[in-house]
Amino acid sequence: MLSAIFCFCLVSGWVSIPQAEEIGSVRTKFKVLGANDKIVIEAFDDPDIPGATCYLSRAKTGGISGSLGVAEDTSDASISCRQIGPIQLPEDVKEGREEGERVFRKSTSILFKTLQVVRFYDKKRNTLIYLSYSNRIIEGSPKNSISTIPIMAWPEP
């Protein structure tokens, strides 16, 4: 029964399987009980564009509720994306059919709040733009961050 509920939540988007690799973290607030509040740095590769990697720094709430996974993290996050290899854009991206495509999602509370990254392509400047923001079913946050990757020729090895 519990696995059926998990599968339903996974399919409906309420539970997300981590798509990022944790690089490191720093403590921002000491907690006597439970984990400390911290800033976590994670990396993820754009699933549709090999050669594009983004790094996110985000707040992670500690304490007993954070240790149990029921705390709500703040909407504070920052993103930096880089070209790490040759980039060949898929036709859907080149033609603008995937504007605002979600490339990353992380749950930041037990219910209904997520940190998301969406991708845009500026054809005129041949640049990928990544926007990070936090949203809820009812109300999101205006806090956001962007990063760009101007697509450059990549030297052959």
Side-chain angles (χ1 to χ4, degrees):
M1 177 65 175
L2 191 57
S3 63
I5 292 170
F6 177 77
C7 288
F8 171 77
C9 290
L10 181 64
V11 170
S12 64
W14 291 350
V15 175
S16 66
I17 295 174
Q19 303 170 1
E21 171 188 346
E22 187 171 322
I23 302 299
S25 64
V26 295
R27 183 180 75 194
T28 58
K29 185 176 184 183
F30 175 75
K31 298 281 188 166
V32 175
L33 297 174
N36 295 317
D37 288 356
K38 59 187 174 178
I39 297 172
V40 178
I41 300 169
E42 298 172 312
F44 70 91
D45 298 322
D46 186 319
D48 300 322
I49 303 179
T53 296
C54 293
Y55 296 88
L56 278 171
S57 65
R58 63 182 183 85
K60 180 124 175 82
T61 304
I64 294 172
S65 59
S67 296
L68 296 174
V70 295
E72 183 170 305
D73 296 334
T74 67
S75 298
D76 301 306
S78 181
I79 188 167
S80 180
C81 301
R82 296 292 180 263
Q83 181 175 354
I84 60 161
I87 290 179
Q88 293 290 331
L89 292 178
E91 283 302 314
D92 286 350
V93 173
K94 278 184 189 177
E95 300 305 318
R97 292 189 295 267
E98 290 194 1
E99 290 299 296
E101 180 76 17
R102 184 173 61 205
V103 296
F104 177 81
R105 179 181 175 185
K106 180 96 166 182
S107 177
T108 55
S109 77
I110 193 161
L111 291 174
F112 309 123
K113 185 176 179 184
T114 58
L115 171 64
Q116 299 190 67
V117 176
V118 293
R119 176 194 348 100
F120 296 89
Y121 176 61
D122 179 351
K123 189 173 188 174
K124 180 178 177 183
R125 294 163 189 86
N126 196 29
T127 300
L128 293 167
I129 302 118
Y130 293 87
L131 167 69
S132 68
Y133 67 99
S134 185
N135 70 340
R136 291 185 184 166
I137 288 182
I138 305 291
E139 179 182 346
S141 170
K143 294 181 180 181
N144 65 81
S145 181
I146 68 165
S147 184
T148 62
I149 300 177
I151 301 171
M152 310 293 232
W154 198 256
E156 294 291 323

